[in-house]
């Protein structure tokens, strides 16, 4: 395929357009924005070199001069949405700052539901990802820990957020596909669950339901998961 490298390379180390010739008609930002629009509207499976090229008004082969691989396109997309973070001046309270960033990440992933499926350590090398990581490390300056430990903390928090939001998105997508309402589905399932718990075969589950019959505050669960993660690093 034209423009594809023969060896591994980092897209950010590559010129905006390979080879010589006239000034590029599109920037990486243009390409990323077109791909993000498609993913937001139609899902990540709809993102293809052909589809993005059509959105830009160019030929598919021409797009390979800018982006050698589809994986590079994904990396451009993740970097583009990573620019949406509001990286305010750290407050000096590293826990509060990390919680604030986690909530931003959750909101970002809901704006772009395809992001959790593309999360990968390799995307941490992109310009906006590096900007985000440097900001996180600055927020963590008051924490008395090695830099390696701080990187683990950032990864742990992001892992909690990604897993939690991925489940939220999957649940919402399933609900939209049902021929009945979410309330009807929930009612039927809870009814079945209670019928099983009431048999006496599950005494601990029965005690758990008696102690807290619900409904579950999912925002509070999210907050507790983050807090407990931070607790593990607050020594």
């Amino acid at each position: 395929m034209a423009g594809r490298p023969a060896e591994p390379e980092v897209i950010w180390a590559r010129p905006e357009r390979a080879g010589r010739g006239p000034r590029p008609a599109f920037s990486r930002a243009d390409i990323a924005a077109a791909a993000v629009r498609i993913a937001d509207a139609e899902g990540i499976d709809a993102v293809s070199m052909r589809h993005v090229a059509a959105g830009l008004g160019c030929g598919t082969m021409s797009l390979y001069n800018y982006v050698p691989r589809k994986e590079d396109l994904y990396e451009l997309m993740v970097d583009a949405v990573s620019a949406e973070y509001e990286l305010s001046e750290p407050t000096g309270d590293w826990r509060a700052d990390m919680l604030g960033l986690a909530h931003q990440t959750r909101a970002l992933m809901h704006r772009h539901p395809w992001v959790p499926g593309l999360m990968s350590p390799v995307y941490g090398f992109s310009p906006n990802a590096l900007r985000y990581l440097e900001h996180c490390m600055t927020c963590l300056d008051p924490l008395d820990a090695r830099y390696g430990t701080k990187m683990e903390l950032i990864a742990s928090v992001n892992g909690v957020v990604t897993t939690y939001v991925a489940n939220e998105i999957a649940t919402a997508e399933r609900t939209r596909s049902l021929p009945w309402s979410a309330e009807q589905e929930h009612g039927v399932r809870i009814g079945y669950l209670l019928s099983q718990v009431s048999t006496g075969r599950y005494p601990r589950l029965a005690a758990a339901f008696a102690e807290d019959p619900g409904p579950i505050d999912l925002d509070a669960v999210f907050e507790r998961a983050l807090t407990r993660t931070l607790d593990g690093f607050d020594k």
Side-chain angles (χ1 to χ4, degrees):
M1 191 68 70
R4 282 181 176 269
E7 298 179 355
E9 68 174 12
V10 178
I11 185 66
W12 309 108
R14 177 185 171 95
E16 282 272 330
R17 183 176 184 274
R20 299 179 179 179
R23 183 175 179 175
F26 307 103
S27 67
R28 283 180 181 154
D30 296 329
I31 296 168
V36 168
R37 284 194 296 271
I38 293 169
D40 286 349
E42 305 175 45
I44 193 63
D45 290 342
V47 176
S48 66
M49 301 298 272
R50 178 190 60 77
H51 202 167
V52 174
L56 292 168
C58 71
T60 303
M61 297 305 294
S62 298
L63 189 60
Y64 280 105
N65 288 322
Y66 300 87
V67 186
R69 304 178 303 154
K70 191 174 183 180
E71 291 78 8
D72 294 323
L73 181 60
Y74 289 158
E75 192 160 352
L76 294 182
M77 294 169 66
V78 173
D79 183 69
V81 299
S82 296
E84 297 177 15
Y85 281 101
E86 294 183 13
L87 304 182
S88 305
E89 186 70 22
T91 65
D93 182 340
W94 66 267
R95 291 178 65 103
D97 289 340
M98 292 306 298
L99 284 171
L101 288 167
H103 283 285
Q104 282 200 59
T105 301
R106 185 186 182 192
L108 183 154
M109 289 182 173
H110 276 289
R111 289 195 300 273
H112 309 288
W114 46 271
V115 169
L118 288 189
M119 294 307 293
S120 166
V122 300
Y123 296 151
F125 291 108
S126 73
N128 283 315
L130 290 174
R131 171 175 162 264
Y132 165 81
L133 285 172
E134 180 66 19
H135 179 76
C136 288
M137 295 294 274
T138 304
C139 291
L140 292 173
D141 276 346
L143 177 62
D144 183 17
R146 295 173 59 85
Y147 282 119
T149 300
K150 293 179 181 182
M151 291 295 288
E152 289 178 12
L153 187 159
I154 296 167
S156 296
V157 169
N158 285 338
V160 169
V161 177
T162 301
T163 301
Y164 197 89
V165 176
N167 183 64
E168 288 183 312
I169 292 170
T171 299
E173 289 177 348
R174 181 182 182 278
T175 298
R176 285 193 295 270
S177 70
L178 296 174
W180 45 73
S181 71
E183 290 74 19
Q184 289 175 302
E185 170 90 2
H186 180 72
V188 169
R189 290 188 175 277
I190 288 297
Y192 171 76
L193 182 59
L194 291 177
S195 72
Q196 295 302 300
V197 170
S198 65
T199 63
R201 293 197 297 268
Y202 312 102
R204 290 168 183 80
L205 287 177
F209 281 111
E211 181 180 277
D212 187 1
I216 299 173
D217 184 340
L218 295 178
D219 290 334
V221 172
F222 178 71
E223 194 76 21
R224 286 195 295 272
L226 290 172
T227 299
R228 288 164 180 162
T229 299
L230 295 178
D231 286 345
F233 293 88
D234 194 3
K235 297 179 180 179

